Amino acid sequence: MTKQQAKKSTNGADGTTEPVRLDKWLWAARFYKTRAIAKQMIDGGKVFYNGQRSKSSKMVNLGDKIRIRQGFDEREVIIIGLADRRRDATFAQTLYQETESSVEVREKTALARRQGILLSPASDTKPDKKQRRQLRQFKERN
């Protein structure tokens, strides 16, 4: 077995403690569908590694904190496993643990979004010509 083959067999999804690139880990943990998308999110400032922006080539280690913004949600996770290969979703969930405060904040924001939608429901029909005229007059008045 060559040196490179030995490295490949000891690094990755079999539970080693060797550091893995941030973009590879995010892809393997199934936060993003492709590594290219993971790299874009890291470069775009949507991912914070230990409270700081970082490069996609940053090596992650066990116990590090990652804050990820995806749409309306923001998650803070602690790395408890390393992998550089993508496997099934049940395995991916064993790679991280979401903090309690992160879960609470996500639930509160989801509830607020649901209540906001319920308080201002959309109309079933489009406004007719008269209603459109009234809306336009009301908007121009203010």
Side-chain angles (χ1 to χ4, degrees):
M1 188 185 315
T2 66
K3 235 182 191 183
Q4 197 168 23
Q5 289 173 335
K7 184 177 180 186
K8 281 185 180 179
S9 67
T10 60
N11 189 9
D14 54 359
T16 63
T17 58
E18 290 185 25
V20 179
R21 288 174 54 111
L22 180 58
D23 61 342
K24 271 191 174 184
W25 186 86
L26 289 169
W27 168 74
R30 293 182 168 260
F31 284 106
Y32 299 107
K33 197 169 185 175
T34 65
R35 280 186 56 200
I37 294 171
K39 183 180 182 334
Q40 285 176 349
M41 295 298 117
I42 294 167
D43 294 342
K46 306 288 187 210
V47 178
F48 288 84
Y49 177 77
N50 284 336
Q52 297 178 345
R53 285 183 65 169
S54 63
K55 294 183 177 180
S56 56
S57 60
K58 177 75 175 169
M59 296 301 210
V60 298
N61 295 304
L62 296 174
D64 292 339
K65 282 189 179 181
I66 297 177
R67 196 171 76 230
I68 304 163
R69 268 189 261 140
Q70 291 178 312
F72 293 114
D73 295 331
E74 186 169 321
R75 296 176 182 223
E76 188 171 291
V77 297
I78 299 172
I79 300 173
I80 57 174
L82 298 177
D84 62 353
R85 294 191 196 118
R86 190 173 171 106
R87 288 180 40 191
D88 60 345
T90 55
F91 174 76
Q93 290 175 347
T94 64
L95 298 178
Y96 62 90
Q97 179 180 8
E98 190 169 2
T99 61
E100 293 295 324
S101 61
S102 173
V103 173
E104 289 174 14
V105 169
R106 274 193 316 113
E107 288 174 354
K108 285 180 183 176
T109 57
L111 179 64
R113 279 196 312 272
R114 280 194 299 270
Q115 288 177 343
I117 290 171
L118 294 175
L119 292 176
S120 61
S123 172
D124 292 336
T125 60
K126 290 183 182 180
D128 62 6
K129 187 172 183 178
K130 183 177 180 182
Q131 291 170 335
R132 285 194 307 267
R133 192 178 308 122
Q134 289 172 344
L135 284 170
R136 191 169 39 249
Q137 288 173 353
F138 178 74
K139 286 181 182 178
E140 289 173 359
R141 196 170 19 131
N142 292 333

